[in-house]
Coordinates of all heavy atoms in Angstrom, one line a residue:
M463 N 0.8 -1.2 0.0 CA 0.0 0.0 0.0 C 0.9 1.2 0.0 O 1.9 1.3 0.7 CB -0.9 0.0 1.2 CG -1.7 1.2 1.3 SD -2.7 1.4 2.9 CE -3.7 0.0 2.9
K464 N 0.5 2.2 -0.8 CA 1.3 3.5 -0.8 C 0.8 4.4 0.2 O -0.4 4.5 0.5 CB 1.2 4.1 -2.2 CG 1.9 3.4 -3.3 CD 1.9 4.1 -4.5 CE 2.6 3.2 -5.6 NZ 3.4 3.9 -6.5
E465 N 1.7 5.1 0.8 CA 1.4 6.2 1.8 C 1.7 7.5 1.1 O 2.7 7.7 0.4 CB 2.3 6.0 3.0 CG 2.0 6.9 4.1 CD 2.9 6.6 5.3 OE1 2.6 5.6 6.0 OE2 3.8 7.4 5.6
Y466 N 0.8 8.4 1.3 CA 0.9 9.7 0.6 C 1.2 10.8 1.7 O 0.6 10.8 2.7 CB -0.4 10.1 -0.1 CG -0.6 9.2 -1.3 CD1 -1.3 8.0 -1.2 CD2 0.0 9.5 -2.6 CE1 -1.4 7.2 -2.3 CE2 -0.1 8.7 -3.7 CZ -0.9 7.5 -3.6 OH -1.0 6.7 -4.6
R467 N 2.1 11.7 1.3 CA 2.5 12.8 2.1 C 2.4 14.1 1.3 O 2.6 14.0 0.1 CB 3.9 12.7 2.7 CG 4.0 11.5 3.6 CD 5.4 11.5 4.2 NE 5.5 10.3 5.1 CZ 5.3 10.4 6.4 NH1 4.9 11.5 7.0 NH2 5.4 9.3 7.1
I468 N 2.1 15.2 1.9 CA 2.0 16.5 1.2 C 3.4 17.0 1.1 O 4.2 17.0 2.0 CB 1.1 17.5 1.9 CG1 -0.3 17.0 1.9 CG2 1.3 18.9 1.3 CD1 -1.3 17.8 2.7
K469 N 3.8 17.4 -0.2 CA 5.1 18.0 -0.4 C 4.9 19.4 -0.8 O 4.1 19.8 -1.7 CB 5.8 17.2 -1.6 CG 7.2 17.8 -1.9 CD 7.8 17.0 -3.0 CE 9.3 17.4 -3.2 NZ 9.4 18.8 -3.7
V470 N 5.6 20.3 -0.1 CA 5.6 21.7 -0.4 C 6.6 22.0 -1.5 O 7.8 21.7 -1.3 CB 5.8 22.6 0.9 CG1 5.8 24.1 0.6 CG2 4.8 22.2 1.9
N471 N 6.2 22.6 -2.6 CA 7.2 22.9 -3.7 C 7.7 24.3 -3.7 O 8.2 24.8 -4.7 CB 6.5 22.6 -5.0 CG 6.0 21.2 -5.1 OD1 6.7 20.3 -4.8 ND2 4.7 21.0 -5.4
L472 N 7.5 25.1 -2.6 CA 7.9 26.5 -2.6 C 9.3 26.7 -2.8 O 9.7 27.7 -3.4 CB 7.4 27.1 -1.2 CG 7.5 28.6 -1.1 CD1 6.8 29.3 -2.3 CD2 6.9 29.1 0.2
D473 N 10.2 25.8 -2.3 CA 11.6 26.0 -2.5 C 12.0 26.1 -4.0 O 12.7 27.1 -4.4 CB 12.4 24.9 -1.8 CG 13.9 25.1 -1.8 OD1 14.3 26.3 -1.4 OD2 14.6 24.2 -2.0
S474 N 11.5 25.2 -4.8 CA 11.8 25.3 -6.2 C 11.1 26.5 -6.9 O 11.7 27.1 -7.8 CB 11.4 24.0 -6.9 OG 10.0 23.8 -6.8
I475 N 10.0 26.9 -6.4 CA 9.3 28.1 -7.0 C 10.2 29.3 -6.7 O 10.4 30.2 -7.6 CB 7.9 28.3 -6.4 CG1 7.0 27.1 -6.9 CG2 7.3 29.6 -6.8 CD1 5.7 27.0 -6.1
L476 N 10.7 29.4 -5.5 CA 11.5 30.6 -5.1 C 12.8 30.6 -5.9 O 13.2 31.7 -6.4 CB 11.8 30.6 -3.6 CG 10.6 30.8 -2.7 CD1 11.0 30.7 -1.2 CD2 9.9 32.1 -3.0
R477 N 13.4 29.4 -6.1 CA 14.6 29.4 -6.9 C 14.4 29.8 -8.3 O 15.1 30.6 -8.9 CB 15.2 27.9 -6.9 CG 16.1 27.6 -5.7 CD 16.9 26.4 -5.9 NE 16.2 25.3 -6.4 CZ 15.6 24.3 -5.6 NH1 15.6 24.5 -4.3 NH2 15.0 23.3 -6.2
E478 N 13.3 29.3 -8.9 CA 12.9 29.7 -10.3 C 12.7 31.2 -10.5 O 13.1 31.8 -11.5 CB 11.6 29.0 -10.7 CG 11.7 27.5 -11.0 CD 10.4 26.8 -11.2 OE1 9.4 27.6 -11.4 OE2 10.3 25.6 -11.2
R479 N 12.1 31.8 -9.4 CA 11.8 33.2 -9.5 C 12.9 34.1 -8.9 O 12.8 35.3 -8.9 CB 10.5 33.5 -8.8 CG 9.3 32.8 -9.5 CD 8.0 33.1 -8.8 NE 6.9 32.4 -9.4 CZ 5.7 32.7 -9.3 NH1 5.3 33.8 -8.6 NH2 4.7 31.9 -9.8
K480 N 14.0 33.4 -8.4 CA 15.1 34.1 -7.8 C 14.7 35.0 -6.7 O 15.0 36.2 -6.6 CB 15.9 34.9 -8.9 CG 16.5 34.0 -9.9 CD 17.3 34.8 -11.0 CE 18.1 33.9 -11.9 NZ 17.4 33.1 -12.8
I481 N 13.9 34.5 -5.8 CA 13.4 35.2 -4.6 C 13.9 34.4 -3.4 O 13.8 33.2 -3.3 CB 11.8 35.2 -4.6 CG1 11.3 35.9 -5.8 CG2 11.3 35.8 -3.3 CD1 9.7 35.8 -5.9
T482 N 14.4 35.2 -2.4 CA 14.9 34.5 -1.2 C 13.7 34.4 -0.2 O 12.7 35.1 -0.4 CB 16.0 35.4 -0.5 OG1 15.5 36.6 -0.1 CG2 17.2 35.6 -1.5
Q483 N 13.9 33.6 0.8 CA 12.9 33.5 1.9 C 12.7 34.8 2.6 O 11.6 35.2 2.9 CB 13.3 32.4 2.9 CG 13.0 31.0 2.3 CD 13.3 30.0 3.4 OE1 12.9 30.1 4.5 NE2 13.9 28.8 3.0
K484 N 13.8 35.5 2.7 CA 13.8 36.8 3.4 C 13.0 37.8 2.6 O 12.1 38.6 3.1 CB 15.2 37.4 3.6 CG 15.2 38.7 4.3 CD 16.6 39.2 4.6 CE 16.6 40.5 5.3 NZ 17.9 41.2 5.4
E485 N 13.2 37.8 1.3 CA 12.4 38.7 0.4 C 10.9 38.3 0.4 O 10.0 39.1 0.5 CB 12.9 38.6 -1.0 CG 14.3 39.3 -1.2 CD 14.9 39.0 -2.6 OE1 14.6 37.9 -3.1 OE2 15.6 39.9 -3.1
L486 N 10.6 37.0 0.4 CA 9.2 36.5 0.4 C 8.6 36.9 1.7 O 7.4 37.4 1.7 CB 9.2 35.0 0.2 CG 7.7 34.4 0.3 CD1 6.9 35.1 -0.8 CD2 7.8 32.9 0.1
I487 N 9.2 36.8 2.9 CA 8.6 37.1 4.1 C 8.2 38.6 4.1 O 7.2 39.0 4.6 CB 9.4 36.7 5.4 CG1 8.5 36.6 6.6 CG2 10.5 37.7 5.7 CD1 7.6 35.4 6.7
E488 N 9.1 39.4 3.6 CA 8.8 40.9 3.5 C 7.6 41.1 2.6 O 6.7 41.9 2.9 CB 10.0 41.6 2.9 CG 11.2 41.7 3.9 CD 12.5 42.2 3.3 OE1 12.5 42.6 2.1 OE2 13.5 42.3 4.1
M489 N 7.5 40.4 1.5 CA 6.4 40.5 0.5 C 5.1 40.0 1.2 O 4.0 40.7 1.1 CB 6.6 39.7 -0.7 CG 7.8 40.2 -1.6 SD 8.3 38.9 -2.8 CE 6.9 38.8 -3.9
L490 N 5.2 39.0 2.0 CA 4.0 38.4 2.7 C 3.5 39.4 3.7 O 2.2 39.5 3.9 CB 4.3 37.1 3.4 CG 4.7 35.9 2.5 CD1 5.1 34.7 3.3 CD2 3.5 35.5 1.6
N491 N 4.4 40.1 4.4 CA 4.0 41.0 5.5 C 3.6 42.4 5.0 O 3.0 43.2 5.8 CB 5.0 41.0 6.6 CG 5.1 39.8 7.4 OD1 4.1 39.1 7.6 ND2 6.3 39.3 7.8
E492 N 4.0 42.7 3.8 CA 3.7 44.0 3.2 C 2.2 44.2 3.0 O 1.6 43.3 2.4 CB 4.5 44.2 1.9 CG 4.4 45.6 1.3 CD 5.3 45.7 0.1 OE1 6.4 45.2 0.1 OE2 4.8 46.2 -0.9
G493 N 1.7 45.3 3.4 CA 0.3 45.6 3.1 C -0.8 44.8 3.9 O -1.9 44.8 3.6
L494 N -0.3 44.2 5.0 CA -1.3 43.5 5.9 C -2.2 44.5 6.5 O -1.8 45.6 6.8 CB -0.6 42.6 6.9 CG 0.1 41.4 6.4 CD1 0.8 40.7 7.6 CD2 -0.8 40.4 5.7
A495 N -3.4 44.1 6.8 CA -4.3 45.0 7.5 C -3.9 45.3 8.9 O -3.2 44.5 9.5 CB -5.7 44.4 7.5
E496 N -4.2 46.5 9.4 CA -3.8 46.9 10.8 C -4.4 45.8 11.8 O -5.5 45.4 11.7 CB -4.4 48.3 11.1 CG -3.8 48.8 12.4 CD -4.3 50.2 12.7 OE1 -4.4 51.0 11.7 OE2 -4.5 50.5 13.8
G497 N -3.5 45.4 12.6 CA -3.9 44.4 13.6 C -3.8 43.0 13.2 O -3.9 42.1 14.0
E498 N -3.5 42.8 11.9 CA -3.4 41.4 11.4 C -2.0 41.0 11.7 O -1.0 41.7 11.5 CB -3.6 41.4 9.8 CG -3.8 40.1 9.3 CD -4.2 40.1 7.8 OE1 -4.2 41.2 7.2 OE2 -4.4 39.1 7.2
S499 N -1.9 39.7 12.3 CA -0.5 39.3 12.7 C 0.4 39.0 11.5 O -0.1 38.5 10.4 CB -0.7 38.0 13.5 OG -1.3 37.0 12.8
K500 N 1.6 39.3 11.7 CA 2.6 39.1 10.7 C 3.1 37.7 10.6 O 3.0 36.9 11.6 CB 3.9 40.0 10.9 CG 3.5 41.5 10.8 CD 4.8 42.3 10.8 CE 4.4 43.7 10.5 NZ 5.5 44.5 9.9
F501 N 3.6 37.3 9.4 CA 4.1 35.9 9.3 C 5.5 35.9 9.8 O 6.3 36.8 9.6 CB 4.1 35.5 7.8 CG 2.7 35.5 7.2 CD1 2.1 36.5 6.5 CD2 1.9 34.3 7.4 CE1 0.8 36.4 6.0 CE2 0.6 34.2 7.0 CZ 0.1 35.3 6.2
R502 N 5.8 34.8 10.5 CA 7.2 34.7 11.1 C 8.1 34.0 10.1 O 7.8 33.1 9.5 CB 7.1 33.9 12.4 CG 6.3 34.5 13.5 CD 6.2 33.6 14.8 NE 5.9 32.2 14.5 CZ 6.7 31.2 14.5 NH1 8.0 31.3 14.9 NH2 6.3 30.0 14.3
P503 N 9.4 34.5 10.1 CA 10.4 33.9 9.2 C 10.6 32.4 9.5 O 10.7 31.6 8.6 CB 11.6 34.7 9.4 CG 11.1 36.1 9.9 CD 9.9 35.8 10.7
A504 N 10.5 32.1 10.8 CA 10.8 30.6 11.2 C 9.6 29.8 10.6 O 9.9 28.6 10.2 CB 10.8 30.5 12.7
A505 N 8.4 30.3 10.7 CA 7.3 29.5 10.2 C 7.4 29.3 8.7 O 7.1 28.2 8.2 CB 5.9 30.2 10.5
L506 N 7.8 30.3 8.0 CA 8.0 30.2 6.5 C 9.1 29.2 6.2 O 8.9 28.4 5.3 CB 8.3 31.6 5.9 CG 8.6 31.5 4.4 CD1 7.3 31.1 3.6 CD2 9.0 32.9 3.9
S507 N 10.2 29.3 6.9 CA 11.3 28.4 6.7 C 10.9 26.9 6.9 O 11.2 26.1 6.1 CB 12.4 28.7 7.7 OG 13.5 27.8 7.5
E508 N 10.1 26.7 8.0 CA 9.6 25.3 8.2 C 8.7 24.9 7.1 O 8.7 23.7 6.7 CB 8.9 25.2 9.6 CG 9.8 25.4 10.7 CD 9.1 25.5 12.1 OE1 7.9 25.6 12.1 OE2 9.8 25.5 13.1
F509 N 7.9 25.8 6.6 CA 6.9 25.4 5.5 C 7.7 25.1 4.2 O 7.5 24.1 3.6 CB 6.0 26.6 5.3 CG 4.9 26.3 4.3 CD1 3.9 25.4 4.5 CD2 4.9 27.0 3.0 CE1 2.9 25.2 3.6 CE2 4.0 26.8 2.1 CZ 2.9 25.9 2.4
V510 N 8.7 26.0 3.9 CA 9.5 25.8 2.7 C 10.3 24.4 2.8 O 10.4 23.7 1.8 CB 10.5 26.9 2.5 CG1 11.6 26.6 1.5 CG2 9.8 28.2 2.2
N511 N 10.7 24.1 3.9 CA 11.5 22.9 4.1 C 10.7 21.6 4.5 O 11.3 20.6 4.9 CB 12.6 23.1 5.2 CG 13.6 24.1 4.7 OD1 14.2 24.0 3.6 ND2 13.8 25.2 5.4
N512 N 9.4 21.7 4.3 CA 8.5 20.5 4.5 C 8.7 20.0 6.0 O 8.6 18.8 6.2 CB 8.8 19.4 3.6 CG 8.3 19.7 2.2 OD1 7.1 19.7 1.9 ND2 9.2 20.0 1.3
Q513 N 8.8 20.9 6.9 CA 9.0 20.5 8.3 C 7.7 20.8 9.2 O 7.7 20.5 10.3 CB 10.2 21.2 9.0 CG 11.5 20.9 8.3 CD 12.6 21.7 8.8 OE1 12.4 22.8 9.3 NE2 13.8 21.2 8.7
R514 N 6.7 21.3 8.6 CA 5.4 21.6 9.3 C 4.5 20.4 9.3 O 4.4 19.7 8.2 CB 4.7 22.8 8.7 CG 5.4 24.0 8.6 CD 5.6 24.7 9.9 NE 4.4 25.2 10.4 CZ 4.3 25.9 11.5 NH1 5.4 26.3 12.2 NH2 3.1 26.2 12.0
S515 N 3.9 20.0 10.4 CA 3.0 18.9 10.4 C 1.5 19.4 10.1 O 0.7 18.6 9.7 CB 3.0 18.2 11.8 OG 2.6 19.2 12.8
A516 N 1.3 20.7 10.2 CA 0.0 21.3 9.8 C 0.2 22.4 8.8 O 1.3 23.0 8.8 CB -0.7 21.9 11.1
I517 N -0.7 22.5 7.9 CA -0.6 23.5 6.9 C -1.5 24.7 7.3 O -2.7 24.6 7.6 CB -1.1 23.0 5.5 CG1 -0.1 21.9 5.1 CG2 -1.2 24.1 4.5 CD1 -0.4 21.3 3.8
N518 N -0.9 25.9 7.3 CA -1.5 27.1 7.7 C -2.2 27.7 6.4 O -1.6 28.2 5.5 CB -0.5 28.1 8.2 CG -1.1 29.4 8.7 OD1 -2.0 29.9 8.1 ND2 -0.5 30.0 9.7
K519 N -3.5 27.6 6.4 CA -4.3 28.0 5.3 C -4.1 29.5 5.0 O -3.9 29.9 3.8 CB -5.8 27.8 5.6 CG -6.7 28.2 4.5 CD -8.2 28.0 4.8 CE -9.1 28.7 3.8 NZ -10.4 28.9 4.3
R520 N -4.0 30.3 6.0 CA -3.7 31.8 5.8 C -2.4 32.0 5.1 O -2.3 32.8 4.2 CB -3.8 32.5 7.1 CG -3.5 34.0 7.0 CD -3.7 34.7 8.4 NE -3.2 36.0 8.4 CZ -2.1 36.4 8.9 NH1 -1.3 35.5 9.5 NH2 -1.7 37.6 8.8
L521 N -1.4 31.2 5.5 CA -0.1 31.4 4.9 C -0.1 30.9 3.4 O 0.4 31.6 2.5 CB 1.0 30.5 5.6 CG 2.4 30.5 5.1 CD1 3.0 31.9 5.0 CD2 3.3 29.6 5.9
V522 N -0.7 29.8 3.1 CA -0.9 29.3 1.7 C -1.6 30.3 0.9 O -1.1 30.6 -0.3 CB -1.6 27.9 1.7 CG1 -1.9 27.5 0.3 CG2 -0.7 26.9 2.4
E523 N -2.7 30.9 1.4 CA -3.4 31.8 0.6 C -2.6 33.1 0.3 O -2.7 33.7 -0.8 CB -4.7 32.2 1.3 CG -5.7 31.0 1.3 CD -7.0 31.3 2.2 OE1 -6.9 32.2 3.0 OE2 -7.9 30.5 2.0
R524 N -1.9 33.5 1.3 CA -1.1 34.7 1.2 C 0.1 34.5 0.2 O 0.4 35.4 -0.7 CB -0.5 35.2 2.5 CG 0.2 36.5 2.5 CD -0.7 37.7 2.3 NE 0.1 38.9 2.3 CZ -0.3 40.0 1.7 NH1 -1.5 40.1 1.1 NH2 0.5 41.1 1.8
I525 N 0.7 33.3 0.2 CA 1.8 33.0 -0.7 C 1.2 33.0 -2.1 O 1.8 33.5 -3.1 CB 2.4 31.6 -0.4 CG1 3.3 31.8 0.9 CG2 3.3 31.1 -1.5 CD1 3.7 30.4 1.5
A526 N 0.0 32.4 -2.3 CA -0.6 32.3 -3.6 C -0.9 33.7 -4.1 O -0.7 34.0 -5.3 CB -1.9 31.5 -3.5
T527 N -1.4 34.6 -3.3 CA -1.7 35.9 -3.7 C -0.4 36.7 -4.1 O -0.4 37.3 -5.1 CB -2.4 36.7 -2.5 OG1 -3.6 36.0 -2.2 CG2 -2.7 38.1 -2.9
V528 N 0.6 36.7 -3.2 CA 1.8 37.4 -3.4 C 2.6 36.9 -4.7 O 3.1 37.7 -5.5 CB 2.7 37.4 -2.2 CG1 4.1 37.9 -2.5 CG2 2.1 38.2 -1.0
L529 N 2.6 35.6 -4.8 CA 3.4 35.0 -6.0 C 2.5 34.8 -7.2 O 2.9 34.3 -8.2 CB 4.1 33.8 -5.6 CG 5.1 33.9 -4.5 CD1 5.7 32.5 -4.1 CD2 6.2 34.9 -4.9
Q530 N 1.2 35.1 -7.1 CA 0.2 34.9 -8.1 C 0.2 33.5 -8.6 O 0.4 33.2 -9.8 CB 0.5 35.9 -9.3 CG 0.1 37.3 -8.9 CD -1.4 37.5 -8.6 OE1 -2.2 37.5 -9.6 NE2 -1.8 37.6 -7.4
I531 N 0.0 32.6 -7.7 CA -0.1 31.1 -8.0 C -1.6 30.8 -8.0 O -2.2 30.8 -7.0 CB 0.7 30.3 -7.0 CG1 2.2 30.6 -7.0 CG2 0.4 28.8 -7.2 CD1 3.0 30.0 -5.9
G532 N -2.1 30.5 -9.2 CA -3.5 30.2 -9.4 C -3.9 28.8 -9.2 O -5.1 28.5 -9.2
D533 N -3.0 27.9 -9.1 CA -3.3 26.5 -9.0 C -2.5 25.9 -7.8 O -1.3 25.9 -7.8 CB -2.8 25.7 -10.3 CG -3.2 24.3 -10.3 OD1 -3.7 23.7 -9.3 OD2 -3.0 23.6 -11.3
I534 N -3.3 25.4 -6.8 CA -2.6 24.9 -5.6 C -1.7 23.7 -5.9 O -0.7 23.5 -5.1 CB -3.7 24.5 -4.5 CG1 -3.0 24.4 -3.2 CG2 -4.5 23.3 -5.0 CD1 -4.0 24.4 -2.0
N535 N -1.9 23.0 -7.0 CA -1.0 21.9 -7.3 C 0.4 22.4 -7.7 O 1.3 21.6 -7.7 CB -1.6 21.1 -8.5 CG -2.9 20.4 -8.1 OD1 -2.9 19.7 -7.1 ND2 -3.9 20.6 -8.9
T536 N 0.5 23.6 -8.0 CA 1.9 24.2 -8.2 C 2.6 24.3 -6.9 O 3.8 24.0 -6.8 CB 1.8 25.6 -8.8 OG1 1.0 25.5 -10.0 CG2 3.1 26.2 -9.1
L537 N 1.9 24.6 -5.8 CA 2.5 24.8 -4.5 C 2.6 23.5 -3.7 O 3.6 23.3 -3.0 CB 1.7 25.9 -3.8 CG 2.3 26.4 -2.4 CD1 3.7 26.9 -2.6 CD2 1.4 27.5 -1.9
L538 N 1.5 22.7 -3.7 CA 1.5 21.5 -2.9 C 1.1 20.3 -3.8 O 0.3 20.4 -4.6 CB 0.3 21.7 -1.9 CG 0.4 22.8 -0.9 CD1 -0.9 22.9 -0.1 CD2 1.6 22.7 0.0
T539 N 1.9 19.2 -3.6 CA 1.6 18.0 -4.3 C 1.7 16.8 -3.3 O 2.1 17.0 -2.2 CB 2.6 17.8 -5.4 OG1 3.9 17.8 -4.9 CG2 2.5 18.8 -6.6
F540 N 1.2 15.7 -3.8 CA 1.3 14.5 -3.0 C 2.5 13.7 -3.4 O 2.8 13.6 -4.6 CB 0.1 13.6 -3.1 CG -1.1 14.0 -2.3 CD1 -2.3 14.4 -3.0 CD2 -1.1 14.0 -1.0 CE1 -3.4 14.8 -2.2 CE2 -2.2 14.5 -0.2 CZ -3.3 14.8 -0.9
E541 N 3.2 13.2 -2.5 CA 4.4 12.3 -2.7 C 4.1 11.0 -2.2 O 3.7 10.8 -1.0 CB 5.6 13.0 -2.0 CG 6.9 12.5 -2.5 CD 8.0 13.3 -1.9 OE1 8.2 13.3 -0.6 OE2 8.7 14.0 -2.6
A542 N 4.2 9.9 -3.0 CA 3.9 8.6 -2.6 C 5.2 7.8 -2.2 O 6.2 8.0 -2.7 CB 3.2 7.8 -3.8
S543 N 5.0 7.0 -1.2 CA 6.0 6.1 -0.7 C 5.4 4.8 -0.3 O 4.2 4.7 0.0 CB 6.9 6.7 0.4 OG 6.1 6.9 1.5
E544 N 6.1 3.7 -0.2 CA 5.6 2.5 0.2 C 5.4 2.5 1.7 O 6.3 2.9 2.5 CB 6.6 1.3 -0.1 CG 6.6 1.0 -1.6 CD 5.2 0.6 -2.2 OE1 4.5 -0.2 -1.5 OE2 4.9 1.1 -3.3
S545 N 4.3 2.1 2.2 CA 4.0 2.1 3.6 C 4.6 0.9 4.3 O 4.7 -0.2 3.7 CB 2.4 2.1 3.8 OG 2.1 1.9 5.1
I546 N 4.9 1.1 5.6 CA 5.5 0.0 6.4 C 4.4 -1.1 6.5 O 4.7 -2.3 6.6 CB 5.9 0.5 7.8 CG1 7.0 1.5 7.6 CG2 6.3 -0.6 8.7 CD1 7.3 2.3 8.9
L547 N 3.2 -0.7 6.5 CA 2.0 -1.6 6.6 C 1.9 -2.6 5.4 O 1.2 -3.5 5.5 CB 0.7 -0.9 6.8 CG 0.7 0.0 8.1 CD1 -0.6 0.8 8.1 CD2 0.8 -0.8 9.3
S548 N 2.6 -2.2 4.3 CA 2.4 -3.0 3.1 C 2.9 -4.5 3.2 O 2.5 -5.3 2.4 CB 3.1 -2.3 1.9 OG 4.5 -2.3 2.1
N549 N 3.7 -4.7 4.2 CA 4.2 -6.1 4.4 C 3.2 -7.0 5.1 O 3.4 -8.2 5.1 CB 5.5 -6.1 5.2 CG 6.7 -5.4 4.5 OD1 6.7 -5.4 3.2 ND2 7.6 -4.8 5.2
E550 N 2.2 -6.4 5.7 CA 1.2 -7.1 6.4 C 0.2 -7.7 5.4 O -0.1 -7.1 4.5 CB 0.5 -6.3 7.5 CG 1.4 -5.8 8.6 CD 0.7 -4.9 9.5 OE1 -0.6 -4.8 9.4 OE2 1.3 -4.3 10.4
K551 N -0.3 -8.9 5.7 CA -1.3 -9.5 4.8 C -2.6 -9.8 5.6 O -2.7 -9.9 6.7 CB -0.8 -10.8 4.2 CG 0.3 -10.5 3.3 CD 0.8 -11.7 2.6 CE 1.9 -11.4 1.7 NZ 2.4 -12.5 0.9

């Protein structure tokens, strides 16, 4: 049985567009409404490096808006691997 995990493709998107994480965090926080909490560089880094166990919908939406990504499949995909359970019958 295959096990599926969500893979964040933001690292390759940033490389293609020649944007650093520092530049992206500035773009994400620019123009936020008064009182709206800012995005933390550490949270973005964990997201970029696939280290988050939960996906922050607000962060994904803001990234899509700032980078003009109209298809979520560009940003997030499923990655398949063989499950440990596949040996059981």
Side-chain angles (χ1 to χ4, degrees):
M463 176 187 302
K464 290 190 185 214
E465 184 174 288
Y466 292 91
R467 297 185 180 267
I468 294 174
K469 181 178 186 297
V470 178
N471 301 312
L472 187 54
D473 190 41
S474 61
I475 294 168
L476 293 177
R477 277 196 311 271
E478 287 172 13
R479 297 184 185 198
K480 296 179 171 67
I481 298 172
T482 65
Q483 285 186 39
K484 183 178 179 185
E485 291 169 328
L486 180 58
I487 202 73
E488 290 170 1
M489 293 165 69
L490 294 173
N491 288 326
E492 186 177 313
L494 290 177
E496 188 175 326
E498 195 172 4
S499 60
K500 293 192 174 204
F501 295 98
R502 296 179 310 108
L506 178 64
S507 178
E508 290 172 354
F509 185 70
V510 168
N511 293 304
N512 288 288
Q513 296 173 337
R514 303 288 295 186
S515 59
I517 294 179
N518 181 326
K519 180 182 170 198
R520 180 174 167 257
L521 177 61
V522 170
E523 291 172 344
R524 186 69 179 159
I525 289 169
T527 299
V528 167
L529 298 180
Q530 289 297 283
I531 297 172
D533 185 353
I534 196 165
N535 294 310
T536 302
L537 186 57
L538 302 172
T539 53
F540 282 116
E541 194 171 65
S543 65
E544 289 300 318
S545 172
I546 297 170
L547 300 175
S548 65
N549 294 332
E550 295 179 9
K551 293 186 180 181

